[in-house]
Amino acid sequence: ARNKHFCRTSRATDPATGHNTVQVPVGTVGADQVRVALTGDIVQRMEDSQFDLSVKSGNIDYIIPASEINIGSVANSLGVPQTELQSIEIIIQMDQVDDALSRQIRDNAASRNYEVVFPPVDFTVLAKTTSTSGQTQEVTVSTCRFRTGWIRAKSPPASCTTRTAPSPTSRRMSS
């Protein structure tokens, strides 16, 4: 059985950025799956107030500015009126990648003289709604995701970057 963790939220201001943040702390570090769900009306209020969503797992924060979800566009894609945003569920899901893909990511990084310092995850943002007739619609939300975390002291801050992802079709790496 996979280890899953579902979370609660808290509101904070990120002292490093000064941005308003809704933070979801994950109590189980190393869970195979982390899933966070918010309704569309909450995401709209976060967007209107320029909030970021932070999912914190151990020393790693996964940050999504609410404006990047673009709930108005998501509602249009799902055929949901702006007055019914509460019927949309925004699901942020992080799954641990399988061993073969993790090894590929680490090998690719090593061949470029990079070091993988955070465990690779498959990060998905979905929007889902169910009509009154019971029909479920789902769309993938394309967003910009930022990952921050504490790096070992031997790594100079200027040398630390992230944002390499394998293509789901070719399995090649892109930055």
Side-chain angles (χ1 to χ4, degrees):
R2 291 184 63 130
N3 181 14
K4 295 185 180 185
H5 189 78
F6 297 85
C7 313
R8 296 178 189 234
T9 62
S10 65
R11 180 182 167 185
T13 301
D14 184 339
T17 65
H19 291 178
N20 291 320
T21 303
V22 172
Q23 186 175 73
V24 182
V26 177
T28 307
V29 177
D32 291 336
Q33 182 183 80
V34 174
R35 180 181 167 162
V36 175
L38 300 170
T39 58
D41 58 326
I42 302 254
V43 172
Q44 181 65 61
R45 281 185 265 173
M46 288 174 61
E47 186 176 327
D48 291 346
S49 300
Q50 300 177 350
F51 269 72
D52 293 341
L53 174 63
S54 167
V55 179
K56 183 172 182 62
S57 178
N59 288 336
I60 304 171
D61 283 315
Y62 296 88
I63 302 167
I64 306 171
S67 61
E68 294 290 332
I69 295 172
N70 195 350
I71 194 66
S73 177
V74 168
N76 287 338
S77 295
L78 293 170
V80 174
Q82 297 293 316
T83 56
E84 296 179 27
L85 294 178
Q86 72 279 1
S87 68
I88 299 173
E89 184 179 28
I90 301 296
I91 302 164
I92 296 100
Q93 185 168 312
M94 294 176 286
D95 293 296
Q96 188 176 42
V97 299
D98 62 48
D99 290 338
L101 181 55
S102 181
R103 193 170 26 262
Q104 180 186 1
I105 290 168
R106 290 178 192 285
D107 291 347
N108 187 280
S111 74
R112 295 179 178 183
N113 212 18
Y114 297 149
E115 178 185 3
V116 176
V117 293
F118 301 119
V121 295
D122 180 14
F123 194 103
T124 307
V125 180
L126 299 170
K128 182 176 166 181
T129 191
T130 304
S131 68
T132 54
S133 65
Q135 182 181 10
T136 299
Q137 284 187 290
E138 192 175 279
V139 296
T140 300
V141 178
S142 177
T143 68
C144 178
R145 294 165 297 281
F146 304 98
R147 177 166 58 176
T148 62
W150 295 102
I151 308 286
R152 289 187 300 274
K154 72 174 190 170
S155 301
S159 71
C160 299
T161 61
T162 188
R163 183 73 171 79
T164 301
S167 163
T169 52
S170 69
R171 304 295 256 197
R172 290 189 341 195
M173 306 303 281
S174 63
S175 298

